[in-house]
Amino acid sequence: MPTPNPAALDFMLSRRSRPAKTLGLPVPDRDALRPLLTAATRVPDHGKLEPWRLIVLERAALVRLAGLVAPAGKRLGKSPEDIAKAETQFADAHLAVAVIESPKPSEKIPAIEQTYSAACVCLGLLNAALAAGWGANWLSGWPSHDRGFAAAALGLADHERIAGFIHIGTEGAAPPERPRPEIDSITTWVSE
């Protein structure tokens, strides 16, 4: 059995994402971000396919993405409120990492397993940032699911998708704890 790590378990039992709109400066520089990215990619990756990649979006890139939201929203028939909310995700941000699902051809590893692996990278980066003392939030939203936005904003290939944007910065306000699932109501024990 591995050596118990009570501090890590305590972190997992108390971790809490920080709303992206409360994240400000400073943000981790490239040297501080590199170990977080490294930690994020220590995920289940059956067959060592690495069916994901990372795009670090610094301030100027986020402003550029914010400018691409309105045209995409109008094309999709989104309401002005939906467009404004999506623009804010990028316009008010100082650092975000786009986790890109980039599946690889494989006879052994189903596509859905590769999708799960990309989601694990998102959660891994979120937790690594929080563990390092930063505020962080995993967002997606309708622009993430629009092929036109993904191609224009990030140059994604046809087979790639945005798994999430992980916003990282300095916490402006600690959010209150929220209700958590009642474990007994969602858990079934099977003994035979």
Side-chain angles (χ1 to χ4, degrees):
M1 179 174 170
T3 303
N5 187 336
L9 182 58
D10 285 345
F11 167 76
M12 294 302 296
L13 290 170
S14 63
R15 63 154 301 283
R16 176 79 168 91
S17 297
R18 303 316 200 240
K21 63 185 175 185
T22 69
L23 301 178
L25 294 170
V27 298
D29 62 19
R30 292 180 182 195
D31 288 338
L33 189 57
R34 189 171 301 279
L36 306 182
L37 300 176
T38 301
T41 59
R42 290 182 62 94
V43 298
D45 177 18
H46 313 294
K48 299 181 182 179
L49 294 178
E50 298 175 9
W52 23 257
R53 61 189 182 92
L54 308 172
I55 301 174
V56 178
L57 300 164
E58 295 174 320
R59 179 71 185 140
L62 290 160
V63 170
R64 179 179 61 80
L65 266 62
L68 297 172
V69 169
K74 289 175 185 170
R75 176 176 43 78
L76 295 170
K78 297 292 181 183
S79 72
E81 296 78 17
D82 286 345
I83 291 171
K85 182 178 179 182
E87 281 177 330
T88 299
Q89 174 184 342
F90 303 110
D92 293 351
H94 298 280
L95 178 71
V97 179
V99 177
I100 308 303
E101 179 187 355
S102 187
K104 306 294 190 297
S106 174
E107 292 181 12
K108 292 172 54 178
I109 312 303
I112 192 67
E113 297 279 343
Q114 297 185 50
T115 298
Y116 296 158
S117 184
C120 288
V121 172
C122 291
L123 185 59
L125 181 53
L126 177 68
N127 284 337
L130 294 170
W134 298 101
N137 196 266
W138 173 4
L139 297 177
S140 55
W142 63 262
S144 298
H145 309 297
D146 177 50
R147 295 292 322 152
F149 179 83
L154 301 173
L156 299 195
D158 288 343
H159 73 287
E160 295 181 316
R161 295 187 295 182
I162 299 168
F165 292 99
I166 313 305
H167 291 258
I168 304 171
T170 297
E171 174 181 79
E177 185 53 55
R178 64 175 181 80
R180 299 296 173 170
E182 174 56 48
I183 293 303
D184 290 335
S185 69
I186 61 168
T187 304
T188 302
W189 300 86
V190 179
S191 299
E192 53 181 72

